[in-house]
Amino acid sequence: MNRFLKLIYNENYKIYIRKSTWVMYAILALLIIGGAFLTSVYGDVDKGYDANWREQLEQENEQLLAENEGYGEDEQYLTTYNLDEIEVNNYYLEHDIEPTGYGAWQYVLENAGLLSIVSLLTIIVAAGIIANEYRWGTIKLLLIRPISRTQILLSKYVSVLLFAAFTLLFVLGFSFIVGAVTFGVEGLSPHILLDTNTGLEYVSALKQIMTEYGYGLVNLVMMATFAFMISTVFRNSSLAIGTAIFLMMAGSTIVGMFSERSWAKYILFANTDLQQYAPGYTPWIEGMTLSFSIMVLLVYYIIFMALSWIVFTKRDVAGN
Amino acid sequence: MELVNVKKTIGKKEIIKGLSFTIHRGEIFGFIGPNGAGKTTTIRMMVGLMQLSEGDVRILGKSITTDYKAAVREVGAIVENPEMYPFMTGWQNLMHYARMIPGITKERIREVVALVGLEKPIHEKAGKYSLGMRQRLGIAQALLHRPAILILDEPTNGLDPAGIREIRKYMRKLAEEENVAVIISSHILSEIELICDRIGIIKNGELVAIQGVHDKDHADESAVQRIVMEVKPVDAATRLLKEQFQITAAAMDGSSLSFDENKENIPVIVKALTKQDISIYQIGASNGTLEDKFFDLIGENIIE
Ligand SMILES: Nc1ncnc2c1ncn2[C@@H]1O[C@H](COP(=O)(O)OP(=O)(O)O)[C@@H](O)[C@H]1O
Ligand SMILES: [Mg+2]
């Protein structure tokens, strides 16, 4: 076990000693800082309310209604926007909840979209971790150690997942810090008012963050495993990056194209978004269930892993 | 280390056609053959990078096919070019491999770095190393875990004559002091002939000869050698050799004669020459026979 940890250490060492990895983190950091800047300048950031929040909300509602009077027919969207605001304010009033201003927790939640960038970076790492050893020629020296190829492969795969985990933690942590500096912190047990399909809901911000990032992780792990498999089988990182990113982007389009076919529900991408089974959502294709999707995901996962394993452990390392 | 009827077939082509030989501890074995003869392929099989189509490789009695980990534990190797992680320093590269085998201390790493003479550039990026420096780092990497067998595939590639001499020196030291068996492949006989105890010649995937290099010097006094003699007058000497010893000598650059003869017969020949007032200025035995044998054996290396 100790030796396996050393293998993982080696793999991580090779990932983090390269400048390209730090460029990835720099890009993420820039996106997070830039996002906070844009939100604070252009976003509608609630200033927060004081003890008189009830009166303040009432006032705001009146003001919004007055604004709506002034809008013409062609400014429908502005009217709707204001009505939504009023609805939110009323929710607070009716449930007697003091609204909190915009803060770090909410900024972290909004950055759930960055998960696709984390996926992208993980795909790049997964695509290179085997293929690069072949490209550098170092695979020969790596494999003539008293360590089974299975262990080498596994240490590389685990390192890919660790990279994803570290990067995700970085996004969460850095978003929180930047959010806290820019907007302040809403408190230790923050709640937010969420506009779900079933209407407004007052939920724990932490729980919501876990949910949103959690759903995204399914896709991340599947695509990283896919890229890892392509990289192992074809020893070509560009091919792995290309196909994985293409499929990630085009996934839902592919499902859409074939949604009429009976086998559409077996397409990987029809199953990667597990949020379709959350309350208030409808599955993409009728008749699909959560357990069905988990089964499909498992089958794909096992196929990806088995292919990588068979090819990596059985193949002759010859030529380049 | 023992190879038993090792064969490798890729597709329909039989690349290695049944190699069998044994290498002993403390011995330096030269594995010679022209490009494409199958040296690298054989070495890849010896270290488990390629599966054997047939036969077995045993290292200290452990089979590479059935007991891979125990067998490969005893092996250190460079296969083809010594490729390193270019973005890591020499030291970081060595640390990386050291972590893969238990019991390698920093002290040991410093020791091998000193052995291959890389102390100065060890903290520079390996990507900046010359080919010669990478060869040395490759050898250092192979020695980390004190293997019983060191396999070097064309280690003299890219080295200048001084570098080749240095490698010779510490190969000899390893074999003698640490009792390591060293296998060195090369397509240039003259580069490694001087360090090897035995040489195996491979051609088209077959072992065509195994020969001890030092036979002619000590053990086998009766071995035929190429003798070169500087004599005067040349034609009288040629005639004498022909008449008295039935030797056909070839004249070389006007003043020397060259012929193949047993070493033990030389004193008799010299006596006969001096008796006839023929002056001998120089006499020497060259490695010619081995070299000639090599060319005879591999003269036309056609790979079917
Ligand atoms: N992966 C491979 N597929 C098919 N033929 C190969 C492969 N690798 C090597 N060969 C062939 O095997 C022969 C021996 O190659 P190699 O072992 O590299 O020779 P050497 O190292 O002695 O120069 C060559 O004819 C080469 O073309
Ligand atoms: Mg070769």
Side-chain angles (χ1 to χ4, degrees):
Chain A
M1 189 55 208
N2 183 30
R3 185 113 64 91
F4 190 66
L5 287 180
K6 283 188 175 168
L7 290 183
I8 291 178
Y9 179 89
N10 265 352
E11 292 308 323
N12 278 276
Y13 192 88
K14 287 183 274 186
I15 291 174
Y16 286 103
I17 201 171
R18 271 182 294 155
K19 288 200 188 72
S20 52
T21 311
W22 295 104
V23 171
M24 294 180 187
Y25 278 81
I27 291 172
L28 273 177
L30 280 178
L31 285 174
I32 291 168
I33 294 171
F37 177 74
L38 291 179
T39 311
S40 70
V41 174
Y42 300 106
D44 86 294
V45 181
D46 290 334
K47 334 84 212 156
Y49 304 84
D50 53 32
N52 297 327
W53 60 272
R54 287 188 191 78
E55 284 164 35
Q56 286 168 330
L57 285 178
E58 303 269 11
Q59 267 175 22
E60 221 177 271
N61 279 354
E62 276 165 35
Q63 200 185 329
L64 288 167
L65 277 174
E67 270 177 26
N68 272 2
E69 301 279 299
Y71 291 143
E73 281 292 302
D74 50 343
E75 287 166 316
Q76 193 71 45
Y77 64 98
L78 287 171
T79 324
T80 335
Y81 181 80
N82 281 355
L83 286 176
D84 285 347
E85 286 278 287
I86 293 167
E87 201 186 329
V88 168
N89 288 348
N90 284 340
Y91 186 96
Y92 284 122
L93 289 169
E94 279 161 26
H95 293 79
D96 199 27
I97 302 165
E98 181 179 348
T100 46
Y102 189 91
W105 295 107
Q106 198 154 350
Y107 186 59
V108 171
L109 183 59
E110 274 175 14
N111 275 345
L114 284 182
L115 204 57
S116 59
I117 309 272
V118 177
S119 299
L120 203 93
L121 301 184
T122 309
I123 285 172
I124 293 175
V125 168
I129 202 156
I130 302 267
N132 283 342
E133 299 276 359
Y134 277 95
R135 189 160 57 84
W136 296 322
T138 43
I139 187 78
K140 292 176 291 189
L141 292 185
L142 195 68
L143 293 186
I144 55 168
R145 312 288 145 181
I147 297 170
S148 70
R149 289 198 190 180
T150 307
Q151 274 204 20
I152 302 253
L153 185 77
L154 201 61
S155 73
K156 285 185 173 288
Y157 183 70
V158 170
S159 300
V160 169
L161 296 187
L162 275 178
F163 173 82
F166 291 149
T167 313
L168 190 63
L169 281 178
F170 173 76
V171 167
L172 290 171
F174 197 65
S175 294
F176 186 83
I177 293 168
V178 171
V181 169
T182 321
F183 314 107
V185 185
E186 301 99 311
L188 283 179
S189 167
H191 278 69
I192 47 166
L193 196 58
L194 211 63
D195 192 7
T196 67
N197 288 358
T198 47
L200 289 174
E201 233 177 290
Y202 194 64
V203 295
S204 153
L206 268 177
K207 201 176 137 215
Q208 192 55 27
I209 287 169
M210 302 239 281
T211 317
E212 298 239 338
Y213 281 83
Y215 281 129
L217 274 181
V218 175
N219 201 20
L220 185 155
V221 169
M222 289 310 291
M223 292 326 290
T225 309
F226 175 78
F228 186 78
M229 183 269 288
I230 297 284
S231 158
T232 313
V233 173
F234 296 100
R235 291 175 287 173
N236 182 329
S237 62
S238 323
L239 181 73
I241 295 173
T243 45
I245 290 179
F246 170 76
L247 288 176
M248 196 172 82
M249 307 275 205
S252 44
T253 318
I254 293 171
V255 178
M257 262 161 56
F258 298 107
S259 59
E260 298 302 312
R261 311 292 172 94
S262 58
W263 44 263
K265 59 182 174 180
Y266 298 107
I267 299 174
L268 173 61
F269 306 101
N271 298 283
T272 44
D273 178 19
L274 295 180
Q275 198 160 23
Q276 59 182 313
Y277 304 112
Y281 292 84
T282 40
W284 287 30
I285 296 166
E286 234 181 88
M288 284 173 66
T289 62
L290 180 61
S291 48
F292 170 82
S293 281
I294 289 175
M295 279 308 295
V296 172
L297 289 173
L298 266 179
V299 169
Y300 273 100
Y301 186 82
I302 290 169
I303 291 174
F304 292 165
M305 292 303 277
L307 270 178
S308 310
W309 181 75
I310 291 168
V311 171
F312 189 74
T313 52
K314 298 281 175 283
R315 179 165 51 202
D316 280 349
V317 179
N320 289 304
Chain B
M1 178 174 224
E2 189 184 7
L3 277 78
V4 186
N5 192 30
V6 171
K7 288 188 187 173
K8 181 72 190 178
T9 312
I10 297 183
K12 283 210 173 69
K13 209 168 95 183
E14 198 172 33
I15 294 175
I16 304 296
K17 303 164 186 164
L19 290 187
S20 300
F21 56 90
T22 309
I23 301 139
H24 313 286
R25 297 204 78 150
E27 174 186 52
I28 303 182
F29 183 83
F31 196 41
I32 314 263
N35 284 323
K39 301 181 295 293
T40 301
T41 307
T42 308
I43 288 174
R44 282 176 195 274
M45 287 192 283
M46 297 202 295
V47 297
L49 286 175
M50 271 183 159
Q51 281 169 8
L52 284 73
S53 300
E54 229 186 287
D56 198 6
V57 173
R58 280 195 282 271
I59 297 158
L60 299 185
K62 294 158 200 143
S63 160
I64 196 89
T65 48
T66 56
D67 196 6
Y68 170 75
K69 280 199 233 174
V72 92
R73 170 69 187 78
E74 303 298 337
V75 178
I78 314 180
V79 184
E80 282 195 315
N81 305 316
E83 281 115 345
M84 298 289 157
Y85 298 103
F87 48 85
M88 278 153 60
T89 66
W91 182 263
Q92 288 166 340
N93 268 287
L94 291 180
M95 283 296 291
H96 172 269
Y97 293 116
R99 277 182 216 110
M100 300 181 77
I101 300 173
I104 300 176
T105 58
K106 287 212 170 103
E107 196 48 55
R108 173 64 185 164
I109 303 180
R110 273 191 283 274
E111 208 176 293
V112 293
V113 168
L115 178 70
V116 300
L118 272 183
E119 292 105 323
K120 257 192 220 148
I122 196 67
H123 292 294
E124 280 170 33
K125 289 238 174 9
K128 290 195 186 127
Y129 282 15
S130 67
L131 186 52
M133 283 155 86
R134 272 187 286 136
Q135 289 285 15
R136 287 157 194 250
L137 190 58
I139 293 172
Q141 157 280 131
L143 289 175
L144 280 177
H145 52 293
R146 300 181 193 277
I149 294 151
L150 180 64
I151 303 175
L152 306 175
D153 192 8
E154 312 252 359
T156 50
N157 259 1
L159 288 187
D160 51 22
I164 295 175
R165 247 181 57 183
E166 224 172 302
I167 287 203
R168 271 186 208 145
K169 217 170 61 196
Y170 53 72
M171 288 306 109
R172 178 56 53 211
K173 198 172 136 193
L174 280 172
E176 276 166 14
E177 289 176 16
E178 306 209 14
N179 206 23
V180 175
V182 185
I183 302 171
I184 299 184
S185 87
S186 180
H187 62 281
I188 304 167
L189 176 73
S190 60
E191 276 188 355
I192 64 163
E193 172 189 20
L194 286 177
I195 14 168
C196 295
D197 300 307
R198 275 195 311 150
I199 280 177
I201 296 172
I202 181 177
K203 176 192 168 188
N204 295 340
E206 282 174 297
L207 203 62
V208 290
I210 291 194
Q211 182 177 336
V213 173
H214 303 297
D215 291 359
K216 54 181 179 277
D217 299 337
H218 334 280
D220 196 355
E221 285 288 324
S222 63
V224 174
Q225 279 191 298
R226 172 138 310 173
I227 313 292
V228 178
M229 233 179 233
E230 193 181 340
V231 288
K232 203 172 168 183
V234 173
D235 41 350
T238 315
R239 219 175 309 122
L240 185 143
L241 285 173
K242 184 97 197 160
E243 283 162 9
Q244 284 194 25
F245 301 97
Q246 287 80 46
I247 293 171
T248 317
M252 290 163 67
D253 47 78
S255 60
S256 295
L257 284 177
S258 151
F259 55 91
D260 294 340
E261 187 49 59
N262 286 351
K263 192 173 173 177
E264 57 183 8
N265 291 339
I266 291 179
V268 189
I269 296 174
V270 171
K271 248 180 229 155
L273 287 171
T274 29
K275 222 172 178 173
Q276 297 296 315
D277 275 343
I278 296 169
S279 326
I280 304 172
Y281 296 91
Q282 252 188 73
I283 181 162
S286 80
N287 295 327
T289 38
L290 189 57
E291 192 131 17
D292 286 350
K293 195 165 176 183
F294 178 66
F295 280 118
D296 285 349
L297 288 168
I298 60 123
E300 19 72 71
N301 185 59
I302 301 140
I303 299 162
E304 299 95 28

